[in-house]
Amino acid sequence: MTNSPTFHDVHFSGLRSRVSELTWGQRWIWDEVQWFAPHHEHLNVPLIVDVPDGTTLPRVLAAVRTLVESRESLRTTYPLSGTGEPRQSVAARGGIRVEVRSAAGESRAVAEAFAAELRRVPFAVDELPFRVGVVADEGGPRHVVAVVFHMSADGWDIAHITAETERLLAAPATSSIPSAGDRLHPSDQAERERGAEGARTSERSIRYWEAQLARAPAVMLPAGAGVAGTPRFQEVVCESEAMAVAVQVLAQRLRVSETAIFLAVAALLLGRRADGPVCCFTVCCHNRIGPDEVAATGTFVQDVPVTIDVGDVTFAEAVRRTWRALLPAYAAGKYDPVRAAAVVEEAVRRRGSDVDLSCTLNVMLGANGDGPDLVGSAGAATRDVVEALRSRTRMSGKPGRDRDRFGRRFYLRAHNFSGAVLMSLRVDTLAMPVADAVSFLQSMEQTAVEALADTERTQGAGGPV
């Protein structure tokens, strides 16, 4: 049972105030905000932080204030200029209302329901991009619940926000996290991007785009049955321990990243559906390279096209080609999105045919410490052992939607989760029926498992570089 909530206002003041253009990463997210407006609540990112025993509510509220004061991205709104262009506006003063809900013996369940409730409401462009609540019981606060607008934080930054909240709750001195002046904030990043070095970076990336667009197939997803499902875009999820172990072993044997192995498997399967031997997909680049960017606030994610010839190749060769294609792709992940859109239009005009960029892959495996725990050497995980894990694979569905990001018809995500690889695939059912999406994820797992036996025979042949 829960009691009536109470509300507390957390005020901040005396900080830097700025108005500037959007960063390239913000612009990339803004396109999706506008496409889905006003129903872009899927861009709300939730987090739940456990509160240490004995922590008082004033201490929790002080941690919230310190967090907001140290991160300009959490006090930024996105108003339109007089010409209709979006801007980022950092507030020097203001407040956040924190709702406190009571729970008896079920605080985690209440926190999860609270986060889901906060997430369901889309952020307005003139609203601070950070909603916060607290779940407490008779012993005091138990969980901080928050939702962050994706315009103001990417997945990397959400992990930092979570960790910093934990540190503040454990040791609330402001010295436990950097001050606002110690960080690279989105308005600083926007200034960089519009300088001389930013222009050179963008143009190098645009030249890469031009080369990829010249090779990209006109059709990656041939028309399906011609009858859309309801809703049109539907999503299936696969949680696979077998995939986690297979990808890790293959990465060790072929001396590449787990992400590269996963993308090679996807490229092989997408190539079989494409109109020709060349597979093309856009890959999400997280774009945090230097130390200042690693610690920066905000969102840096952009996608970039990758073309790979996967016609009539062995698995090891597909991995080699994927690895070699990814290196320049990730290096080209920073660019002016407006300029890139113009380059795509020019490529279509020059070719006299479409360029299919409808497939997007967002993959981060083995990078967050939550990968599978293999016992012994890579060779200990034989195909038979991994094949046995397939009996524990779980398939499920997620709520669909009437549309996806403009132009996107295939969106495959993967990350480590509790010793498994959690794959989700959202498809335009006009191009790929739900049954085919299920089959695609099953084939991802099967292809990786079968590759174990193939690479075991050639394990000493060396990596793909």
Side-chain angles (χ1 to χ4, degrees):
M1 297 292 292
T2 61
N3 300 319
S4 298
T6 60
F7 297 90
H8 301 263
D9 290 324
V10 174
H11 297 283
F12 57 88
S13 63
L15 305 169
R16 182 172 72 163
S17 175
R18 299 186 77 183
V19 177
S20 63
E21 297 182 25
L22 299 185
T23 67
W24 294 335
Q26 287 172 331
R27 170 67 74 167
W28 190 79
I29 297 293
W30 178 261
D31 288 344
E32 189 156 334
V33 171
Q34 291 297 96
W35 177 251
F36 282 95
H39 303 295
H40 47 71
E41 58 273 12
H42 65 284
L43 296 174
N44 297 350
V45 186
L47 60 95
I48 299 174
V49 177
D50 295 338
V51 177
D53 290 343
T55 305
T56 65
L57 180 60
R59 184 172 165 185
V60 171
L61 298 177
V64 171
R65 184 184 66 252
T66 301
L67 187 71
V68 172
E69 289 178 346
S70 70
R71 308 179 75 88
E72 290 184 356
S73 56
L74 297 184
R75 41 191 175 85
T76 298
T77 56
Y78 304 95
L80 297 178
S81 70
T83 60
E85 284 296 306
R87 294 288 184 267
Q88 54 174 318
S89 177
V90 181
R93 60 184 58 83
I96 292 179
R97 173 155 288 194
V98 179
E99 179 180 344
V100 180
R101 294 187 180 182
S102 299
E106 52 185 26
S107 64
R108 186 71 191 188
V110 172
E112 291 174 353
F114 195 1
E117 180 181 326
L118 292 175
R119 189 181 187 184
R120 280 195 291 269
V121 181
F123 280 94
V125 295
D126 59 352
E127 174 187 0
L128 290 181
F130 189 48
R131 298 182 185 137
V132 189
V134 176
V135 173
D137 59 19
E138 63 277 2
R142 293 301 175 204
H143 311 281
V144 173
V145 178
V147 170
V148 185
F149 192 17
H150 201 357
M151 282 287 294
S152 289
D154 55 22
W156 184 274
D157 198 23
I158 289 293
H160 282 186
I161 292 171
T162 302
E164 287 170 9
T165 304
E166 291 171 344
R167 290 199 295 271
L168 281 169
L169 292 170
T174 55
S175 59
S176 64
I177 64 170
S179 68
D182 295 332
R183 302 178 189 271
L184 178 68
H185 296 282
S187 57
D188 305 313
Q189 179 65 14
E191 188 174 322
R192 279 188 178 186
E193 291 169 351
R194 279 144 187 87
E197 179 56 32
R200 288 191 293 269
T201 297
S202 182
E203 283 308 305
R204 284 194 298 268
S205 298
I206 291 301
R207 288 195 293 272
Y208 167 87
W209 272 74
E210 290 171 339
Q212 298 303 302
L213 295 173
R215 299 186 65 228
V219 178
M220 273 299 301
L221 297 175
V227 178
T230 304
R232 176 171 168 175
F233 291 85
Q234 299 192 24
E235 187 166 358
V236 292
V237 179
C238 176
E239 186 176 343
S240 171
E241 296 173 59
M243 188 70 174
V245 177
V247 165
Q248 189 179 56
V249 173
L250 289 166
Q252 292 174 3
R253 289 180 179 172
L254 297 176
R255 300 204 295 264
V256 297
S257 68
E258 295 173 35
T259 293
I261 294 292
F262 187 94
L263 292 174
V265 174
L268 281 168
L269 296 179
L270 278 171
R272 294 172 188 171
R273 303 182 67 94
D275 183 20
V278 176
C279 167
C280 177
F281 54 82
T282 62
V283 62
C284 291
C285 302
H286 296 275
N287 288 338
R288 292 176 180 268
I289 301 172
D292 58 343
E293 292 176 348
V294 169
T297 68
T299 182
F300 281 69
V301 178
Q302 293 180 264
D303 62 357
V304 66
V306 182
T307 57
I308 308 168
D309 189 338
V310 290
D312 193 26
V313 296
T314 64
F315 181 81
E317 178 61 23
V319 171
R320 183 176 294 111
R321 294 182 182 186
T322 300
W323 177 257
R324 289 177 175 172
L326 288 176
L327 295 178
Y330 286 131
K334 297 181 178 181
Y335 57 87
D336 181 347
V338 176
R339 178 91 166 86
V343 167
V344 173
E345 291 183 6
E346 173 61 19
V348 171
R349 186 197 64 77
R350 185 183 305 116
R351 288 168 42 138
S353 66
D354 288 336
V355 177
D356 194 338
L357 300 178
S358 64
C359 301
T360 299
L361 278 63
N362 187 353
V363 181
M364 183 174 286
L365 298 177
N368 57 4
D370 193 28
D373 181 17
L374 293 181
V375 178
S377 67
T382 64
R383 176 180 172 178
D384 290 342
V385 171
V386 179
E387 189 72 58
L389 290 174
R390 297 186 70 185
S391 64
R392 305 213 305 239
T393 298
R394 293 177 291 277
M395 301 290 298
S396 59
K398 293 182 69 174
R401 57 175 64 165
D402 293 327
R403 54 181 173 171
D404 206 333
R405 186 182 178 97
F406 179 75
R408 180 186 288 165
R409 309 182 76 187
F410 177 104
Y411 185 42
L412 176 61
R413 292 177 292 178
H415 64 273
N416 295 116
F417 178 76
S418 298
V421 167
L422 189 64
M423 302 180 280
S424 66
L425 175 57
R426 187 168 63 243
V427 296
D428 179 353
T429 54
L430 272 177
M432 181 181 285
V434 174
D436 287 3
V438 172
S439 178
F440 190 95
L441 293 183
Q442 292 171 334
S443 295
M444 289 282 298
E445 181 186 70
Q446 180 179 349
T447 300
V449 172
E450 289 178 348
L452 289 176
D454 295 337
T455 57
E456 190 169 5
R457 292 192 294 269
T458 59
Q459 187 171 354
V465 294

